Each structure stands twice: as structure tokens, then as C-alpha cells.
Amino acid sequence: MSTETADGFKAKAEATLAAELDRVLAFSHRLHDNPETGWEEVKASAWLVEELHGVPNARVTHGLGSLPTAVCAEAGNGTLVLTICAEYDALPGVGHACGHNIIASSALGAFIALAPLADELDLTVRLLGTPAEENGGGKIVMLEQGNFDGTHAAMMIHPGNVDESEMHPFACSGFAVRYEGRAAHASASPHEGINALDALTVALTAIGLARQQLEPGQQIHGSVDGAGTAPNIIPEKATGKWMVRAHDVQSLQRVTVVLERCLRAGAVATGAVLHIEQVGRTYADMRNDATMTDLFTANAARLGRTMSRTDKRGGSTDMANVSQVFPSIHPMISLGDGCPPIHNEAFAHHAASPAGDRAVRDGALSMAFTCIDLATDQQHRSRLLAR
């Protein structure tokens, strides 16, 4: 490996990104203006591949196993393999209100900054474009397919309204629920019907009462999609979606039993037939690597960001499943004062603002600098290679 200091490598990485920053930011805005939901990121993944082909000596693959919108790019042939994750799916109705355009662009920026240095660092830098974080668990599928194999550490950043060195997401599962009853005239022959809406009402009541007895950290929340077609017809079908969350996968399994029990109560009370189908994969709880977190915090400070620490839990992510297998980090990058919380239209506006552009640059450099620290410090390097 080169005798160049870590600071020397960081200066080179910063200069490389500075020369390419305009195209990285243009890519961010292009994604923002053309949102695509999970599993449908056809344009986004193609545009990412287009940008990666512009990186000298990058090895790029579009489509991985069963996932046509997944992407892999590698640069360098070093023994230490560091993976940077890019997300680019949007939310239905509110576009990039989770700022995944910033996630993808910062990952691209970090890859561009590191690629020319990879062999000097005895590093293989890998970018994985991971579809459907919001609704499908693309990273979980990619873990199962072996797309993360060989990784020694993984990282990504996520925009938000605060700078935080760690994210503490809940383990999470989602379910589609359907009650099937029997239609009948609500006035002439109500006794001939089986009311699916009543089944759903009983279930909602049971869930509301059960919340008092949930364990700390357990959550149940859901929405009703539809129930019935006209007030004078006994509803023969009622549908909805529910999510359960908990501090860890074991607690998640227990709260799932509670949800299922409440849903069955509606069927038992009315005679309706209950159908429950899990939607997507089960998201695990996040294991933040302490050493990598400290390195990222120090590198963000070089760029003028003070990363706070918090134990507050919120949301869920399939990056947590990656962290169960490989040392990982998932820090939050603020979009500045006045930025609202994620998942609303106002946040989507901030994701394409000057503060959003700064988050792309700072996120890219903080990750690139952290990779350089892991590659140049023998203690850090040995710890990861020994896994």
C-alpha cells in the first residue's frame, strides 16, 4: 500500500469530487424530478449506471439476480472491500420526501472520489444500488442473492432534519389484511349477509385495546383500504394494511402474534374469512458499528457538521439487515434549519434545495474519508479483515 498519509488521500478525494460535483448534483436533481416507487426504478437505475460508466476503470453491472433495477459497481482490486449503498426509490404521492435522491448521489460522489485511489489504498470500493427500501426490502433480497458477499464493512447516509451519527430504527414487518364475508340487502335480508366491515371494526377495536398491554418499544399501526360499496349492501369485503414494529426481531415476533390475534377476533365474531399476507420482507434492528461511527463523526466535523448522538428510535430500514451481517453505519445528514421531518411534501422540496446539494457533497466526502481511514489505519483494517 502507498505511504501516502490519510490526510493526503483525503485531499485527493476531495479534489476529485470537486471536479465532478456538478454532474453528481445534476444526477441528484434528475432523480428528484423523476420519482419512481420501489421495484419500478427503471430510469433511476439506468441513470446511475450511466454515471458510473463515466468513472475510469469502474466495473458496472445493471441488474442483479432477480432484481433488474439493482446495480453493482466496483473500483480497485484491493483486499479490503468497502460497500457504499445507494437508494433511489421514491414514495407514492410525495416523491422524494425521504431524500433518496441525496442518498444515491452521495453514494455516487463517494465512489467517484475513491475510485482513483482504490488500488493505492489496497481497497476494493463497491457501490450497490439497492431498490425498494421503502416497501420491499431490496437489500434483504440482495443479501440472500450474495450481492454483499465479500464485504468487510458497509455504509450509507440518510438526509433528515438533524445531523446524527447513528440511526436507531425499529425492526418491522408489514401485512395486507382482507376479510371476506357475504353480501346481502341491508334492509330486506341483512340476516343473510356476513359483514366484512364489522369484522374489521372488531379487529380495530381489539388492536386499540391491546396497545395498553404492548411491551415497551412495540407498535402496531395500520390503514383501511376499503370496506363495502354502498350503504344498503352488507359489505362482503374489507381490506387494510398493518405494520408492527419493535426494538428487535424477537420482540417483533411477539407483537406480530398480538396483531394476528386481534385480526382473528374480527373473523370469529362475524364469521368472515380472514386472509393475512406479509408484504415485503421483515426489517431487522440496526447494529451501528461504534468505531466506524466515531470515524464518520470526526470526518463530518472536518466539513463543519456536528453530529449528535441519540438513543431515539424511529422508522425502519433494510440497511439494518445488512448491519446484522457486516459492520455498518447509517448516519443522518441535516438539510438545514427549518427543514421538516421526512416523509412529507415539504421535505421533498428541501431534498432539491441548496441545503440538499450540500448534504450530497458532505455525505459523499464523509463516507469517502471514513473509507480512507479504514483502509490506512492498520488497526481498523486488521479488525475488518479478521471477520
Side-chain angles (χ1 to χ4, degrees):
M1 186 165 54
S2 170
T3 58
E4 180 84 66
T5 65
D7 283 343
F9 281 118
K10 290 177 183 180
K12 290 180 179 179
E14 187 168 4
T16 298
L17 181 60
E20 301 290 339
L21 186 59
D22 285 348
R23 77 177 178 100
V24 173
L25 296 180
F27 171 69
S28 176
H29 286 262
R30 194 179 191 186
L31 291 183
H32 184 272
D33 293 343
N34 296 273
E36 298 170 300
T37 54
W39 307 127
E40 304 295 332
E41 313 95 326
V42 176
K43 294 178 181 178
S45 60
W47 292 336
L48 177 59
V49 166
E50 179 183 313
E51 297 297 335
L52 290 166
H53 277 306
V55 180
N57 301 315
R59 306 179 294 277
V60 185
T61 304
H62 189 187
L64 303 174
S66 64
L67 304 180
T69 60
V71 175
C72 179
E74 291 186 346
N77 296 282
T79 53
L80 182 67
V81 181
L82 301 180
T83 296
I84 301 169
C85 293
E87 299 171 0
Y88 31 78
D89 58 318
L91 290 160
V94 288
H96 281 289
C98 210
H100 287 194
N101 61 301
I102 293 174
I103 297 173
S105 303
S106 63
L108 172 64
F111 186 85
I112 288 172
L114 288 168
L117 308 173
D119 285 326
E120 282 188 88
L121 290 165
D122 189 19
L123 175 66
T124 299
V125 57
R126 176 187 291 166
L127 182 150
L128 286 180
T130 63
E133 185 275 338
E134 291 289 352
N135 67 339
K139 294 183 192 66
I140 303 171
V141 179
M142 294 173 74
L143 282 166
E144 294 169 352
Q145 292 184 163
N147 301 133
F148 282 88
D149 287 2
T151 294
H152 294 106
M155 64 185 70
M156 62 173 285
I157 63 97
H158 197 298
N161 60 348
V162 289
D163 285 317
E164 290 180 341
S165 58
E166 297 176 332
M167 182 183 179
H168 298 282
F170 289 96
C172 177
S173 292
F175 301 91
V177 175
R178 184 175 83 257
Y179 289 100
E180 291 186 357
R182 185 168 59 242
H185 195 287
S187 176
S189 54
H191 55 282
E192 295 178 359
I194 296 177
N195 197 316
L197 177 56
D198 284 354
L200 183 58
T201 301
V202 171
L204 287 168
T205 302
I207 291 168
L209 294 172
R211 287 192 175 102
Q212 182 181 359
Q213 277 77 44
L214 295 182
E215 300 172 29
Q218 292 180 340
Q219 299 177 349
I220 301 176
H221 37 261
S223 62
V224 176
D225 293 334
T229 57
N232 62 340
I233 302 174
I234 299 294
E236 66 177 338
K237 184 182 294 186
T239 59
K241 296 183 180 68
W242 267 263
M243 298 177 70
V244 287
R245 301 186 199 255
H247 281 173
D248 54 44
V249 173
Q250 292 73 32
S251 180
L252 184 71
Q253 292 170 344
R254 295 193 295 273
V255 73
T256 299
V257 171
V258 175
L259 172 64
E260 291 174 347
R261 194 167 62 226
C262 293
L263 294 172
R264 285 198 304 271
V268 170
T270 63
V273 176
L274 170 64
H275 301 271
I276 306 174
E277 180 181 359
Q278 182 164 345
V279 178
R281 306 300 183 98
T282 295
Y283 289 21
D285 49 301
M286 184 82 189
R287 296 179 180 176
N288 295 286
D289 184 84
T291 298
M292 292 171 62
T293 297
D294 289 343
L295 292 175
F296 185 94
T297 298
N299 285 310
R302 289 174 64 120
L303 303 171
R305 289 185 181 266
T306 301
M307 309 298 289
S308 63
R309 289 185 181 272
T310 180
D311 293 328
K312 180 181 177 181
R313 288 189 179 269
S316 301
T317 174
D318 57 4
M319 186 65 183
N321 297 69
V322 177
S323 78
Q324 298 282 329
V325 184
F326 307 104
S328 301
I329 55 172
H330 188 291
M332 305 291 290
I333 299 286
S334 173
L335 301 192
D337 294 339
C339 179
I342 60 175
H343 282 217
N344 64 65
E345 290 185 18
F347 188 89
H349 172 75
H350 279 74
S353 68
D357 291 347
R358 184 192 168 204
V360 170
R361 174 189 176 273
D362 291 354
L365 287 177
S366 296
M367 288 192 291
F369 291 172
T370 300
C371 288
I372 289 169
D373 288 333
L374 294 172
T376 56
D377 184 288
Q378 193 56 49
Q379 184 175 356
H380 297 326
R381 187 182 186 91
S382 298
R383 176 179 77 96
L384 296 178
L385 289 173
R387 291 181 53 83

